[in-house]
Amino acid sequence: MNNAAPAPARTRGRPRGKPPTRESLVSAARTLFLERGYRRTTLRAVAGAAGVDPALIAYHFGSKKGLFADVMQFQCANALAVDDVLGGDPATLPDRLIDAVTDLWEDADFRRLTAQGDEAAEVIREYLEHELLARLVEFLGGRDATARATAVVTILGGLIYTRYLNPLPTPAALTRAETRQVLAPALRAALTPRPRNTETARTGRRGSPASGGGARPALTTSARPVRSAAQL
């Protein structure tokens, strides 16, 4: 009869005491991209800094470009914190959106990452389209959510371009408070639900001079947009 104790069962998953492989690679890659730039950073160097097999980079990210995209996405997500921005007082949402963008782009490390050429520009485009725009559409809801979210992202994209990527003297010279003062009204207008105008347009056609509808329908037609605008 064999009285030997059974061998301990092998545990599945990551070894205890070691950080998750993906997070370790992102952290190591971020440091090397900042130190050496995108082109001079090798996958072997990233794997060595993270203490893992280089094959794991292909497994987790597909390529060096995919790894860089994750580093940039991580930086964007940390700075923009979309849930926090969208979760506050709706009245101050324009200010929070502007502050989130300026916080991100005035971070020295992020600015260095954005100088990595086409790879960085592509990641920024994808982030604005698939993360910020998509989340705004979901948050706003309603029939015109996509149009309103598109207007917001377009305004913020203009801020990024004219203040950071290709700075114009006047926007670049604004303080953060002045930037909010200038852009918040435009964002507030973009975020406001648009009134339905189908019925107004139909009434306008009935009351046009060519239809002989007289003065009363014309007055009704002109009054409706005024009431709608006052409600914004």
Side-chain angles (χ1 to χ4, degrees):
M1 183 175 181
N2 186 1
N3 294 323
R10 296 180 62 183
T11 58
R12 292 186 175 184
R14 300 184 181 96
R16 293 184 179 180
K18 293 186 178 181
T21 300
R22 187 183 184 92
E23 286 81 351
S24 296
L25 285 167
V26 169
S27 178
R30 179 180 180 278
T31 299
L32 290 173
F33 284 138
L34 287 171
E35 290 178 355
R36 305 180 183 181
Y38 178 82
R39 301 194 184 283
R40 293 177 56 204
T41 297
T42 66
L43 296 184
R44 187 172 296 277
V46 173
V52 302
D53 190 308
L56 288 175
I57 295 178
Y59 174 78
H60 285 290
F61 307 99
S63 64
K64 178 179 171 180
K65 183 178 178 181
L67 174 61
F68 181 74
D70 252 58
V71 170
M72 290 284 289
Q73 293 273 10
F74 176 80
Q75 193 85 3
C76 287
N78 272 1
L80 287 177
V82 176
D83 288 336
D84 293 339
V85 172
L86 299 180
D89 181 0
T92 56
L93 177 57
D95 292 334
R96 292 197 304 278
L97 286 166
I98 294 168
D99 285 345
V101 169
T102 54
D103 283 346
L104 175 63
W105 282 86
E106 291 177 16
D107 178 81
D109 286 347
F110 182 74
R111 295 286 293 279
R112 288 166 63 192
L113 288 171
T114 62
Q116 306 292 333
D118 293 341
E119 291 80 10
E122 183 175 345
V123 171
I124 293 167
R125 285 195 300 270
E126 290 179 356
Y127 187 86
L128 290 174
E129 174 74 18
H130 300 297
E131 178 63 19
L132 185 57
L133 178 60
R135 296 290 299 280
L136 273 171
V137 171
E138 180 182 359
F139 171 79
L140 293 172
R143 59 184 176 80
D144 59 354
T146 299
R148 291 154 64 198
T150 299
V152 169
V153 172
T154 300
I155 294 169
L156 295 177
L159 168 63
I160 291 169
Y161 186 78
T162 59
R163 187 175 173 89
Y164 303 108
L165 291 179
N166 189 24
L168 299 180
T170 301
L174 295 174
T175 66
R176 292 179 56 159
E178 290 169 339
T179 301
R180 287 194 300 271
Q181 184 178 8
V182 169
L183 291 183
L187 283 176
R188 192 166 290 110
L191 288 163
T192 301
R194 286 86 188 274
R196 291 184 179 274
N197 55 14
T198 304
E199 183 180 351
T200 301
R202 189 182 300 117
T203 305
R205 286 195 297 272
R206 288 200 303 266
S208 62
S211 67
R216 185 173 179 179
L219 288 173
T220 303
T221 302
S222 63
R224 284 184 180 175
V226 170
R227 287 200 301 270
S228 298
Q231 293 169 356
L232 296 181

